[in-house]
Amino acid sequence: MFGTSSKIKVEINGNEIELPEGSVLEDAIRLSNAPYRKGTAIGIFIERAGEEVADVSRYTVRTSKGEFRIELQDTPSPSRKIWMSHYAEYSNMPVRWISRDAVAFGSFASEIVPVRGNADHKRFELMFAGGLDPANTHLILVKDKHSAEYGAPEEGTFAKVISGKHVLPDLTKNDRILDIEPVTESAEAGEHICTTDLSTRLENGSRIFTYLEIEIDAEAPEGAEHLFAVTRDGTFHIDAVSSSYISDNRFQGELVTYENFESRSAGSVFVRTVGYGAGKLFIATDDRTSTIMHSVVGHVVRGLELAKMAQEGQKIMVESVPHPIMLLGMSYEEAEKEMELVGVEVVREGYMGDDGFIVTQDPATTIGILKEARVTLKGVDPEHLVRVKLYNDLVPKTLEFFRHATGMQYKPVGALAVLMTYDNTYIFKAVEKEADKYKEILPENTPGVKVAAGEIGVTNQAAKRAGMVGVKLEDNDLFGPTGEKFASTNIIGRVIETEKLRNFKDDDIMYIIESSTEDL
C-alpha cells in the first residue's frame, strides 16, 4: 500500500492517467489496461524544459471520419507553397463532391494556374484543382489510380497520404475537414529509458510507450504478409540500431516482392527486397530517401517514440491495422465466424464438412481478401492434417530449411507430398519450394543409438539426397527415417498422431501443423 495520498500524472500511449505517488510501471499498465506483451521493452520519457518544433513537411488532417497524415513532396512547387501558406484556412471545409476515384473538399479561391487535358493520378495523392477557374479551387484526394481532367496546375500533386489511408474510403458528402496541424516533434531536454523492468518507479509527467501500431499500406499486399510473418509473435526484435532506423533480421535471406516506391519518412516500415540483407524488416526513426531496394509496407501511426528509444537486443510489442487474416489451420466453422465480423464472404472448396481444416485461402493476402470482401477456402478431412512437435532448440538451421520447404515460414499449415511408402516408412518431398538449393542442411541433432517411431528425419548434406523428409512407424537402430545412415540424418521433431500416416498413399499431400504440446 502507498503511504501517501499525493498523486502524480503520467501519460501512457497518449492517454493521461493519475496514479498515487511512488507508483511503478506495472501500476500504470494495469490501471490503464494498456497493450503490453510480457518481456517486451517499454519506453519512458521524462520531460524537462524545452519546446516543440514543427516539421513543415508533414501535416495531420482531421476529418469527421477520422484523421490521416500527409507528407509534402521534396520538390518545391507553387502548390506546395500555397499549401504551406494557407493550410489553416482549409479547416471546417466540407466535402464538395465524391466519386469512386477521388474526393474533393472546397471550394475556395487560389492562385493556381490550371492546365487542360487528362493526367494520370496515383492512389493517395493530394492536389489542388480548379477546373478552369482558380476562384473555384478544390482540394482533391485520390482514392484509386485513374486518369482524369481536374484542371490541376502543371506540377500536379504536391503531397501524399502516408497514414490513415483507411479513412478515405469512408468519407461521404456529409463529412468535412475539421482542422489541419503541422506535425510537431518534442525538442525538449529530458531523460528517456527503454526497459523491461516493470518495477521502474515513475515520476510526475512521465510519458510511457508500451507498443507500436503499424498501418499497412494497401500498395504492398505481399510485403504486408512478410511483416505479418516476421511479427507473428506480436513483437519486433531489435537486431540492429542506427541513427535512422531499427531492424528485425529474423527473416534475412527471404526474397520479397518489390511493390511500393515512396519516401522512407520517419515511421515508415520497409523491407529490403534485393541483395545482402534481403528480407530484413526496418522501421525508419528519421527521414530517409526512397530507394529501389526497399519497399515500403506500412507506417507507424502510434508509438514511434518507442522505436526511437529501443536498444539493440530488445524486442517491442507491435500491432497492425488491419489485423492479419490467416485462416489456415482453422475449421470452416471458426473461419466463417471470424470473417463475418469483417464483412467477408466465405466460399468453401474441397472437403465441405464444418470440421474441415483449412489449408489454402484465395486471395492469399490480407489486403486482397479485404479488397474483394470474399475469400475461397479449401478444406481437408481432419484425418489428413497431421500435428507435429518440432525440436526448435535442437535443430534451428534444419528447421529453417524445413519451414521453407513446407511453406510454414509464412503460414501455420505446411504441405508435404508423399513420394513413396514402404516397410512402415514414409518418404516425403517439398511442395512449396526446393529450399535445399539455397538453405544449408549441415549435420544437426543426428541420432545416437536408435531412431524412435514417429520421429521426423531430414537427410543432411552428408548424403546425396539432401532435403528428403521421412518418418518411420517403428523404432530403428540402423537407419534414419529417410533410409540414410545416422550421420546423414537430422532429427527435427516427431509426428504426434502417427496413426494418421496410414491414411496416406503415394502422391497424396500431407498437411502438417505445429503443436507446442504433445498431449493432444
Side-chain angles (χ1 to χ4, degrees):
M1 297 181 60
F2 298 104
T4 176
S5 59
S6 299
K7 300 286 187 179
I8 62 171
K9 290 183 178 180
V10 302
E11 183 183 283
I12 184 162
N13 300 321
N15 300 311
E16 189 175 275
I17 62 172
E18 197 171 62
L19 296 168
E21 189 175 11
S23 293
V24 297
L25 195 50
E26 185 176 10
D27 300 320
I29 293 172
R30 185 175 61 251
L31 181 65
S32 65
N33 198 30
Y36 168 70
R37 188 174 292 272
K38 185 178 180 179
T40 57
I42 297 172
I44 305 173
F45 187 83
I46 305 166
E47 297 183 5
R48 309 299 183 199
E51 60 181 352
E52 287 190 329
V53 179
D55 180 345
V56 294
S57 68
R58 291 193 290 274
Y59 295 78
T60 297
V61 181
R62 296 184 180 89
T63 76
S64 48
K65 279 287 171 41
E67 67 180 45
F68 57 88
R69 183 170 291 184
I70 68 169
E71 181 176 55
L72 303 185
Q73 294 175 351
D74 293 334
T75 306
S77 68
S79 290
R80 191 181 193 274
K81 184 177 180 180
I82 290 171
W83 171 269
M84 294 177 68
S85 299
H86 299 282
Y87 71 87
E89 300 170 17
Y90 309 140
S91 295
N92 203 33
M93 185 172 290
V95 171
R96 182 64 178 271
W97 58 258
I98 196 163
S99 71
R100 183 186 66 179
D101 300 320
V103 56
F105 297 91
S107 62
F108 51 92
S110 74
E111 305 92 34
I112 68 168
V113 180
V115 175
R116 286 182 177 272
N118 277 9
D120 293 330
H121 305 290
K122 298 178 181 178
R123 297 182 75 185
F124 309 124
E125 290 183 331
L126 187 67
M127 60 184 164
F128 293 120
L132 297 178
D133 181 10
N136 191 37
T137 300
H138 293 81
L139 184 63
I140 294 182
L141 280 165
V142 180
K143 297 193 295 181
D144 209 350
K145 182 179 178 182
H146 68 288
S147 180
E149 179 179 8
Y150 290 119
E154 184 177 3
E155 66 268 16
T157 61
F158 66 89
K160 183 175 183 179
V161 179
I162 59 172
S163 66
K165 296 173 183 176
H166 63 281
V167 172
L168 272 59
D170 294 336
L171 292 170
T172 69
K173 289 183 179 179
N174 298 321
D175 290 309
R176 63 179 55 241
I177 292 174
L178 301 178
D179 60 75
I180 302 171
E181 292 184 354
V183 174
T184 58
E185 293 187 352
S186 297
E188 63 270 37
E191 177 187 357
H192 68 265
I193 61 174
C194 196
T195 181
T196 58
D197 184 1
L198 298 185
S199 65
T200 301
R201 188 162 174 164
L202 298 175
E203 293 186 25
N204 188 54
S206 296
R207 296 168 60 196
I208 304 164
F209 307 93
T210 67
Y211 77 113
L212 295 182
E213 185 175 303
I214 298 172
E215 181 181 84
I216 302 304
D217 197 307
E219 295 292 303
E222 298 292 339
E225 296 305 313
H226 183 79
L227 182 151
F228 294 150
V230 174
T231 61
R232 187 184 299 174
D233 62 354
T235 68
F236 186 101
H237 287 206
I238 317 299
D239 293 318
V241 177
S242 82
S243 59
S244 58
Y245 67 77
I246 57 175
S247 72
D248 187 322
N249 303 346
R250 285 179 287 176
F251 273 42
Q252 182 175 348
E254 289 297 309
L255 301 179
V256 185
T257 303
Y258 189 95
E259 297 169 299
N260 191 26
F261 180 84
E262 66 175 66
S263 61
R264 295 174 294 161
S265 55
S268 295
V269 183
F270 55 96
V271 60
R272 186 177 178 107
T273 60
V274 295
Y276 179 78
K280 287 183 180 180
L281 187 67
F282 298 83
I283 296 175
T285 53
D286 201 355
D287 293 345
R288 296 172 64 84
T289 58
S290 306
T291 79
I292 58 173
M293 296 182 294
H294 296 95
S295 181
V296 176
V297 302
H299 297 85
V300 175
V301 294
R302 185 186 298 271
L304 181 59
E305 295 88 346
L306 176 57
K308 293 180 177 181
M309 295 183 200
Q311 303 168 21
E312 187 172 328
Q314 292 181 329
K315 56 184 178 181
I316 53 180
M317 179 182 172
V318 295
E319 290 186 351
S320 65
V321 179
H323 293 298
I325 296 177
M326 178 52 69
L327 306 174
L328 277 61
M330 294 184 182
S331 68
Y332 279 131
E333 190 173 21
E334 293 169 332
E336 287 170 350
K337 287 181 180 178
E338 187 163 313
M339 290 300 92
E340 185 178 1
L341 297 175
V342 292
V344 172
E345 178 189 358
V346 171
V347 178
R348 297 189 185 189
E349 191 177 84
Y351 179 84
M352 303 297 283
D354 286 345
D355 62 343
F357 272 94
I358 297 164
V359 294
T360 66
Q361 62 184 41
D362 182 26
T365 68
T366 298
I367 291 173
I369 291 172
L370 293 176
K371 183 176 182 180
E372 295 186 15
R374 177 185 172 99
V375 61
T376 299
L377 304 177
K378 178 184 176 181
V380 298
D381 187 318
E383 291 300 307
H384 284 253
L385 183 77
V386 176
R387 299 184 185 276
V388 299
K389 171 73 175 179
L390 300 178
Y391 302 155
N392 293 291
D393 295 334
L394 298 177
V395 280
K397 296 301 294 182
T398 312
L399 282 179
E400 185 178 338
F401 153 78
F402 183 76
R403 289 194 170 98
H404 279 78
T406 60
M408 295 177 75
Q409 187 80 337
Y410 285 92
K411 299 175 291 188
V413 176
L416 285 168
V418 181
L419 183 62
M420 67 179 74
T421 63
Y422 65 91
D423 297 336
N424 288 311
T425 299
Y426 293 78
I427 305 297
F428 305 91
K429 63 179 179 180
V431 171
E432 289 290 322
K433 58 180 74 173
E434 296 181 33
D436 57 295
K437 292 183 178 180
Y438 65 99
K439 294 291 180 182
E440 289 187 326
I441 316 174
L442 299 174
E444 195 176 37
N445 195 38
T446 56
V449 295
K450 75 171 184 178
V451 172
E455 286 195 310
I456 307 168
V458 173
T459 301
N460 62 42
Q461 292 174 192
K464 293 181 179 180
R465 297 193 304 162
M468 300 300 293
V469 179
V471 179
K472 288 181 179 292
L473 298 186
E474 296 178 351
D475 294 352
N476 195 295
D477 57 6
L478 292 176
F479 298 101
T482 60
E484 300 287 352
K485 296 177 180 179
F486 284 0
S488 301
T489 304
N490 294 355
I491 301 299
I492 65 167
R494 74 181 192 87
V495 174
I496 293 174
E497 303 156 305
T498 54
E499 68 280 0
K500 285 189 176 182
L501 293 180
R502 301 189 187 279
N503 297 327
F504 298 98
K505 59 183 183 301
D506 293 0
D507 298 324
D508 280 351
I509 301 296
M510 181 178 77
Y511 294 97
I512 56 176
I513 188 167
E514 185 175 359
S515 174
S516 58
T517 63
E518 297 187 16
D519 187 18
L520 292 175

